[in-house]
Amino acid sequence: MAFQPEILKVLGRIAANHKHESKVRLLENYELELRKLLNHKPTRSSHINVCQHIAGYFKNDWSSSEKEKFNKKLLLYKEGKVGGQC
């Protein structure tokens, strides 16, 4: 998702195999798209987007202080004051 969301969707469609392609053809198509995906370097903003997306799954489980701590860390990352992802 951090690399290129559009290609991630393509990979999902290939994996779903709605066209009932042979396994060989399916893997060939998947590999081709995966290589395209991995040729793009993720950006800081795309990592932030992924972290926000993941956090959305926990929004009902986190307390207000946990959400605040997460958002502060994300802001520090956005500003380049901390490294890593999420």
Side-chain angles (χ1 to χ4, degrees):
M1 186 175 197
F3 285 82
Q4 267 210 319
E6 301 83 21
I7 296 179
L8 180 64
K9 289 178 186 178
V10 171
L11 289 171
R13 285 193 293 271
I14 292 170
N17 198 16
H18 294 298
K19 296 180 182 179
H20 305 289
E21 303 264 7
S22 70
K23 286 182 182 179
V24 170
R25 182 77 178 132
L26 184 81
L27 290 173
E28 288 171 350
N29 289 338
Y30 198 90
E31 181 182 5
L32 177 68
E33 294 301 323
L34 184 60
R35 288 181 184 276
K36 285 182 198 177
L37 177 88
L38 296 175
N39 278 332
H40 296 273
K41 185 177 180 186
T43 63
R44 186 173 296 270
S45 62
S46 67
H47 281 298
I48 291 169
N49 182 43
V50 170
C51 292
Q52 290 171 327
H53 186 83
I54 293 168
Y57 289 101
F58 302 103
K59 67 182 176 188
N60 296 326
D61 300 319
W62 287 355
S63 67
S64 295
S65 63
E66 288 170 321
K67 290 176 189 175
E68 186 177 334
K69 184 177 179 179
F70 172 81
N71 287 324
K72 284 182 180 179
K73 275 284 196 203
L74 212 53
L75 182 59
L76 290 173
Y77 175 71
K78 182 178 182 178
E79 295 171 346
K81 295 178 181 175
V82 296
Q85 291 83 30
C86 294

